[in-house]
Amino acid sequence: MSDSVSTGFGRLRAMTPARVRLDAAAGPTPLGALLDFQEAHAGARDAIHARPDWDALAAALAPLATIRVQSQAVERSIYLRRPDLGRRLAEPVDLPRAGHPLVVVVGDGLSAPALAHAAPVIAALRPALPELDTTPVILAEGARVALGDDIARRMGAAMCLMLIGERPGLSVSDSLGAYLTANPVPGTRDSARNCVSNIHRMGGLSPEAAAARIAWLIDAARKLGRTGVALKDESGTRPVGTLAP
């Protein structure tokens, strides 16, 4: 590996938390890099198997009301083997049906540590979405994204915002994703959702920046009547006030 190439890759590595080619000559991996990789891999596994502290999350969301639910994937091992069960609510469940315009669901998904970003995102959304103050936040364990469809249907909600832990990577294991679905019902295709991903503090979206993008999408979806491929995220170029009714 020449000095110039080494310097070039060094500059690239300084620009991102991602692992950029460690040795262009395919030589032995430096011990420090190997240990760092093993630590990151262990962190990703821990994130997948950790259980969220739902009580702490409910306290962080106060004074908003919260309701806890469980998917049919009642154990982590089942959750990983049977994604379909993570999309169905365990019975019995008592959810208020009040025709809410928007319900927010916080699901553990594949990273419990990612839920540390959920309360800041919701707090940043509240000024733009006053209806959040009167709608309970649903805390869902063993959740896949589509679990929000069933929850929203039972609550008569016109739209569902699912905040969920994303699949951990070897650079970031606590990334939160936000999935917005209009007219949600069980069986909704993923192409009918909009996603804001990579909400984390390691070079991703801050909770405030993510909330601004989500609020734009919600406003645009209400005007369009749809989410998904029909709704292009133009939040960076078209402020909310410029959208046609």
Side-chain angles (χ1 to χ4, degrees):
M1 178 169 54
S2 68
D3 290 340
S4 60
V5 172
S6 175
T7 301
F9 282 122
R11 286 199 297 270
L12 286 175
R13 284 193 287 273
M15 298 170 64
T16 172
R19 286 175 175 78
V20 180
R21 196 174 186 179
L22 294 176
D23 187 348
T29 303
L31 178 60
L34 176 62
L35 294 175
D36 179 67
F37 177 87
Q38 291 176 334
E39 182 181 20
H41 187 260
R45 289 179 59 88
D46 287 348
I48 290 173
H49 291 281
R51 293 197 64 180
D53 187 341
W54 296 113
D55 292 338
L57 179 56
L61 290 169
L64 299 181
T66 57
I67 297 175
R68 288 182 59 175
V69 299
Q70 168 74 53
S71 78
Q72 293 183 16
V74 295
E75 296 179 2
R76 206 58 177 165
S77 59
I78 296 174
Y79 175 85
L80 295 174
R81 292 197 310 269
R82 294 285 305 274
D84 58 313
L85 296 183
R87 304 183 185 109
R88 304 175 195 166
L89 274 172
E91 303 290 351
V93 59
D94 184 20
L95 295 172
R97 184 175 178 84
H100 306 282
L102 171 71
V103 62
V104 178
V105 182
V106 181
D108 49 0
L110 286 165
S111 174
L115 301 195
H117 308 304
V121 170
I122 294 171
L125 281 171
R126 289 177 63 190
L129 301 168
E131 65 266 36
L132 294 183
D133 291 349
T134 57
T135 306
V137 178
I138 309 302
L139 308 182
E141 184 158 356
R144 300 279 177 176
V145 171
L147 187 68
D149 300 337
D150 196 10
I151 293 170
R153 178 185 63 83
R154 296 184 189 220
M155 297 179 68
M159 195 175 297
C160 177
L161 174 64
M162 168 67 87
L163 302 177
I164 191 165
E166 295 182 317
R167 185 184 304 277
L170 292 175
S171 298
V172 178
S173 61
D174 66 340
S175 181
L176 186 74
Y179 291 80
L180 183 66
T181 310
N183 311 309
V185 294
T188 297
R189 293 179 178 272
D190 288 341
S191 59
R193 313 184 199 279
N194 286 88
C195 178
V196 176
S197 65
N198 285 305
I199 305 170
H200 57 80
R201 299 288 189 184
M202 289 287 288
L205 283 175
S206 69
E208 295 76 19
R213 188 170 296 182
I214 293 167
W216 188 94
L217 286 169
I218 291 173
D219 184 72
R222 286 173 172 167
K223 290 179 170 64
L224 186 64
R226 289 181 290 176
T227 50
V229 295
L231 173 58
K232 184 176 180 180
D233 181 2
E234 297 178 322
S235 56
T237 57
R238 300 180 64 194
V240 170
T242 66
L243 296 176

